[in-house]
Amino acid sequence: MVVAGAGNQGGTMSARGQASKEFDNMIAVGAADGTNRAAYSSFGAGLDLLASGSTGSFTGTSRAAAEVTGAVSQVWAANPQLSYQQVKNILLQTATDLSAPGWDDQTGFGLLSLAAAVELAKAVAQELPKASESPNLALIPASDEPGVLPGERPANSYSYSYSNSGDGYSSSYSYTSNYTGDWNAGTSDYSSRSESSSNSSSSSDGYSYNSRSNSLSTSESHSDWTPSWSRYNSSSDYSNTSSSNSQCSSNGYSYTSSSSSSSSSSGDSQWEGEYSRVSSEGRSHGEGNYRSSYESSTSTESSYSDGSGYTSISSNSSDSVTQWTSSWDNNSGYRYTSTTTQTSWYYSYSLHYWALGYRWSWQLTSTSSQSGYRDGQYWSSNPVTQTLSDSGEVEFNDVFYFNEDDYFDSGSGGDDSNEGGSGDKSLDDYSPTGFDRPLFPLGFPSMYDRQLIRETQERLSKTPLTSLHASIIQTAIQTQAAQGTNEWDLGDFNQWKAGLLNINQFKNQWVCGYKNVINAAATEFNIPPRLLAAVAWREVGGDPHFLDDWGFYFRILSGNLEAAKKTSFGNVTIQVRRAAEALGYNPTQLSDGQVFQIIKSLREPRQNIFIVAKHLSYLRSRYLPGKSAGAITERELLALAGAFFAEPVYATLEDFWTPYNTKGDNYAGGYGRSAFNGLNQSGCF
């Protein structure tokens, strides 16, 4: 170990003194005058320790260095098992602070305390970390190679790979790491990459199997430091994909199965801190994010020569994002904060079919949640979960087919037009899909044969629209929403469930945007505009519209036609059967074409508003016969809104104020008041 005087020039450190920043086997010593640094003693970033600089006629930093050299000898004598790094560490840790806590450029770590250093040396054996193992002294690395100075070590790289193959099988793996940096400059860089893949296949009589998987992992980091601070940045990425499929066929039986999955993760972090070079004093702050996702799907089909068999499809996915911050200092302690937002979807579908029919079931579940830590305390939000499911069985001779024949439309002029006229209409004008595309959502297998549909058309009759329905179509399309009015979509739904969208703000702009349409419909059917607007405000938003399609299609396919007519459609949602009644149809005798036209009208927001207005006018005439729209009281408006939600289940309007459960809930005070409170905050009516 080298003990060197810091210099007598009374200014910045000499080259010899500054060398202690680069070599962990050197101690730069300054001279002390009592409990202060002597005026003639140098100072600066390399200063480690002060010792008395005066005894008789011998004065200066050389005198102080001699005292520290003697201290080194006594510390080693007290514990010969210590390494030179541990001896240096003991001297710096036991020094008496003279100025700011910890190290400073005026006094280093303080004044030599020989007695304390000897006692500490006796108390420890090998437990004391070497300087290069200390989280602070590690900033000034030591060389493990005799004759090689820090900063002279060359860049280090390592790579490894192997491959293996056999009959129907192959695999490979490779790993590479690179470590570079300049210790003298205070930097280091590290990167690694690993990649693996495997493939396998086999076959025999009537059977084949193939499997493939790949994974890739990369990471990078960079750090730089000085004796008093350090910074660290890192990033990592990981991905994995796999797939497999198998086929089997023999003796009139065939089986096909395929599956795939993928996962990925990525992370970024940044740290910055200021440290004492020896003790744990200092502070640090870090922040970063981590994201992981996963997807998988499986499809299986089995069939027999007699027409029986099954199809099964399942898929699920999840996505998780974590953002965190962490800080520590010797005064305030450790603080850690993180927030994790997770969204997952799970979907499954199964179909078993035979010669004359099939059985099916499906389920869709979505879950979103948040959790995290704040100052050591864990918190979490209640997960928002929505599950949709249905099942049924269908005989082919009971399948509900949609009529592709032409439909009647009143008016004159035009041909093949949605703007009215006596021209022919095809089903594509009314259906959201059309026969050339499967009626199943999410790519479900179609059970429909176009030729069979055309044959079925012969027993399906054309039924015209009611005059009221045709009139509403013509009147509604002459009204317009305000330009820029936003419509509810799946993106809005997801943001709402994740807590990122204020649905009330959406409702406000929608009702305000359709104010002209609402006023026109209310005037047409003699109801208060505020009643129609309140119901519209209460109903708009919520579940995405494609869920209405699913519910309707699967009830149709299950053969439950009456249940299908209870499906609600439209922004201002209303059941098909209620809309049919409002439009003058007999709900129990609807043709397939009429059902589709009603659904189409409900999907169009302006026609939807007019149809709801007509239904509200029916409720007004039933419960308030002979009473004009302008004479209806506020209490009666709340009850009429409740009647819209509850259907006409009571004898009088006042009954809608009656509690219908043990909690005391009632339609007028619950639904009605909520609808009008929301409308009032919009400021449009």
Side-chain angles (χ1 to χ4, degrees), residues 336-631:
Y336 174 72
T337 301
S338 74
T339 299
T340 301
T341 301
Q342 181 168 350
T343 303
S344 63
W345 293 82
Y346 176 80
Y347 164 71
S348 64
Y349 171 76
S350 66
L351 172 67
H352 291 251
Y353 59 88
W354 52 92
L356 297 177
Y358 58 92
R359 183 183 300 111
W360 53 268
S361 65
W362 63 271
Q363 178 173 305
L364 174 68
T365 301
S366 66
T367 303
S368 61
S369 63
Q370 283 190 323
S371 62
Y373 287 88
R374 186 177 294 111
D375 295 340
Q377 298 295 319
Y378 176 78
W379 64 271
S380 63
S381 62
N382 293 326
V384 178
T385 301
Q386 182 160 352
T387 300
L388 302 169
S389 62
D390 212 342
S391 62
E393 183 174 305
V394 179
E395 296 292 333
F396 282 146
N397 59 342
D398 292 332
V399 173
F400 185 90
Y401 295 107
F402 299 115
N403 185 5
E404 200 179 16
D405 275 353
D406 302 329
Y407 297 130
F408 171 82
D409 194 5
S410 63
S412 61
D415 186 55
D416 289 328
S417 167
N418 285 325
E419 302 297 327
S422 58
D424 293 338
K425 304 286 186 180
S426 70
L427 179 64
D428 286 337
D429 289 324
Y430 305 103
S431 168
T433 57
F435 282 116
D436 288 330
R437 297 177 295 279
L439 292 175
F440 291 96
L442 291 186
F444 290 174
S446 175
M447 295 301 300
Y448 289 93
D449 177 82
R450 189 173 181 84
Q451 181 60 35
L452 181 60
I453 293 174
R454 291 193 178 280
E455 294 172 357
T456 308
Q457 289 175 359
E458 298 178 359
R459 61 182 177 85
L460 297 174
S461 62
K462 294 189 296 183
T463 306
L465 306 180
T466 62
S467 59
L468 176 58
H469 193 174
S471 174
I472 282 180
I473 293 174
Q474 295 297 318
T475 304
I477 63 175
Q478 297 176 25
T479 61
Q480 293 295 330
Q483 188 173 5
T485 302
N486 294 323
E487 299 293 342
W488 188 255
D489 58 23
L490 183 58
D492 295 323
F493 172 77
N494 289 333
Q495 291 189 62
W496 170 47
K497 287 298 186 181
L500 303 176
L501 181 145
N502 186 331
I503 194 172
N504 287 352
Q505 292 179 358
F506 176 89
K507 289 172 176 285
N508 293 344
Q509 65 88 31
W510 196 91
V511 170
C512 294
Y514 279 92
K515 181 176 182 179
N516 291 337
V517 182
I518 291 172
N519 283 330
T523 300
E524 178 77 14
F525 297 110
N526 193 25
I527 60 172
R530 290 185 65 246
L531 172 61
L532 178 56
V535 170
W537 189 96
R538 184 64 172 78
E539 293 294 333
V540 71
D543 292 338
H545 297 315
F546 70 82
L547 296 182
D548 301 332
D549 298 340
W550 285 11
F552 177 76
Y553 286 141
F554 285 119
R555 287 165 181 161
I556 287 292
L557 294 176
S558 69
N560 193 341
L561 305 186
E562 292 307 311
K565 295 172 187 175
K566 294 181 181 180
T567 307
S568 297
F569 289 92
N571 288 314
V572 189
T573 185
I574 184 173
Q575 292 181 359
V576 172
R577 60 174 179 152
R578 294 297 176 214
E581 291 172 344
L583 295 170
Y585 295 101
N586 182 340
T588 63
Q589 298 179 5
L590 290 172
S591 72
D592 56 341
Q594 290 169 331
V595 169
F596 249 124
Q597 182 58 62
I598 292 172
I599 292 174
K600 182 193 174 187
S601 292
L602 292 178
R603 281 199 183 95
E604 203 286 305
R606 295 168 298 175
Q607 297 178 49
N608 175 210
I609 291 172
F610 271 77
I611 293 172
V612 170
K614 180 61 176 71
H615 181 60
L616 288 171
S617 73
Y618 158 74
L619 296 176
R620 177 192 59 78
S621 62
R622 171 173 176 169
Y623 291 110
L624 299 171
K627 197 166 191 177
S628 66

Side-chain angles (χ1 to χ4, degrees), residues 630-649:
I632 298 176
T633 66
E634 191 73 14
R635 181 179 178 85
E636 290 169 338
L637 287 176
L638 295 176
L640 283 173
F644 174 84
F645 176 70
E647 302 182 1
V649 295

